[in-house]
Amino acid sequence: MSEIIEAKNLTKIYRRGREEIYALKDVDFLVNNGEFVSIIGPSGSGKTVLLNVLGCLDTPTKGSLRLNGIETSGLKEKDLVRLRQDNIGFVFQQFYLIPTLTARENIELPLLFSRKNGNRSRIDEILERVDLGNRSEHLPGQLSGGEMQRVAIGRALINDPEIILADEPTGNLDSGTSKKIFDLFRELNNHGLTLVVVTHSPELARQAHKMYTLSDGQIVRCEDLACRRFKYTLHIL
């Protein structure tokens, strides 16, 4: 498999006065093309910071990040924006839907800022793919939590990304609906999409091919779930 995300020694430091806070510390992170990877860890362990850095929403203090073969360090903001638009779809815990737009219109929204206007022809296909074909003209307020998250996933898919980054996408959903969202992620992955998903649920995380565990900004465990093979553990003193 080819490497689609390759991070080496990623470090993110926030400064509060004279104090330095390490949100990430020397993180190595590898995702192969077509993999489904999950990230777990306690609150404050750096999961969201890592996802934001991987998605070029934030820049590391030091370290290297290559996305689809492109080294991101030193890129100008406009180039990072283009890299995100061309390669990455984002799904968040909060759905961030426009309440006055229908499900169809919310999914279509990213095309206003994209070079991929031809993708408008795919909206019906995406609505069916996320099982919203009969809810396309409904406003967010007329949808359930699971349906709103599926709209958000459809919006992430409209630019035909190679990678989906999802930050606690089931955090506001009940267990049954959470399972359905992960079933959808597995289906998307089966069609070749690369997924990196942060979740608080070890049970859901174990549906991925590979699971990283973070603690205090460091990866302390990486488990190959496809082979059920424990790879390594880092003991922090």
Side-chain angles (χ1 to χ4, degrees):
M1 287 187 178
S2 60
E3 297 160 351
I4 195 167
I5 300 175
E6 184 182 11
K8 292 183 178 180
N9 302 119
L10 283 185
T11 297
K12 182 64 180 181
I13 302 172
Y14 294 103
R15 289 178 171 83
R16 185 169 55 196
R18 295 183 179 180
E19 183 182 11
E20 289 189 342
I21 300 169
Y22 281 77
L24 298 174
K25 187 174 182 180
D26 295 323
V27 168
D28 292 340
F29 192 88
L30 180 67
V31 180
N32 291 314
N33 191 30
E35 270 192 321
F36 183 179
V37 174
S38 60
I39 303 172
I40 63 169
S43 179
S45 60
K47 302 186 301 297
T48 294
V49 176
L50 176 58
L51 209 69
N52 287 343
V53 171
L54 296 178
C56 299
L57 295 174
D58 200 356
T59 54
T61 305
K62 64 177 181 179
S64 169
L65 173 65
R66 295 178 67 85
L67 286 180
N68 218 358
I70 299 172
E71 175 58 52
T72 64
S73 61
L75 289 181
K76 296 179 179 178
E77 180 59 29
K78 66 177 183 178
D79 296 319
L80 290 173
V81 169
R82 184 60 51 82
L83 187 64
R84 289 195 299 266
Q85 288 178 341
D86 289 347
N87 293 276
I88 302 171
F90 295 93
V91 181
F92 302 97
Q93 180 176 350
Q94 305 297 330
F95 313 125
Y96 298 122
L97 303 181
I98 306 298
T100 56
L101 299 182
T102 65
R104 175 187 294 275
E105 290 166 339
N106 268 286
I107 290 174
E108 187 179 16
L109 192 60
L111 296 179
L112 296 176
F113 312 99
S114 170
R115 297 178 297 173
K116 300 180 180 180
N117 285 324
N119 284 11
R120 293 181 193 278
S121 61
R122 299 183 59 238
I123 293 176
D124 287 332
E125 171 197 335
I126 288 175
L127 282 163
E128 292 298 329
R129 199 169 182 183
V130 298
D131 197 24
L132 288 171
N134 62 347
R135 308 288 279 172
S136 63
E137 303 307 319
H138 287 67
L139 296 172
Q142 299 170 311
L143 301 174
S144 69
E147 288 170 335
M148 285 192 283
Q149 191 58 289
R150 293 206 301 274
V151 173
I153 293 170
R155 182 182 58 196
L157 293 172
I158 191 61
N159 274 332
D160 196 24
E162 296 194 45
I163 306 164
I164 291 287
L165 301 181
D167 188 8
E168 296 280 11
T170 62
N172 290 327
L173 306 175
D174 61 66
S175 59
T177 305
S178 297
K179 182 180 181 303
K180 291 179 181 177
I181 293 298
F182 263 73
D183 287 344
L184 174 57
F185 283 150
R186 286 196 300 176
E187 180 184 341
L188 294 171
N189 178 248
N190 287 339
H191 284 84
L193 196 61
T194 302
L195 289 107
V196 180
V197 181
V198 166
T199 178
H200 62 279
S201 169
E203 180 182 359
L204 292 175
R206 288 186 174 278
Q207 295 187 34
H209 297 141
K210 187 164 60 181
M211 181 173 69
Y212 286 94
T213 302
L214 261 68
S215 179
D216 296 326
Q218 293 181 280
I219 291 175
V220 295
R221 180 175 294 137
C222 176
E223 192 172 353
D224 187 339
L225 301 171
C227 300
R228 294 297 186 268
R229 178 168 55 85
F230 180 74
K231 295 185 72 176
Y232 68 81
T233 301
L234 170 66
H235 297 286
I236 301 177
L237 299 179

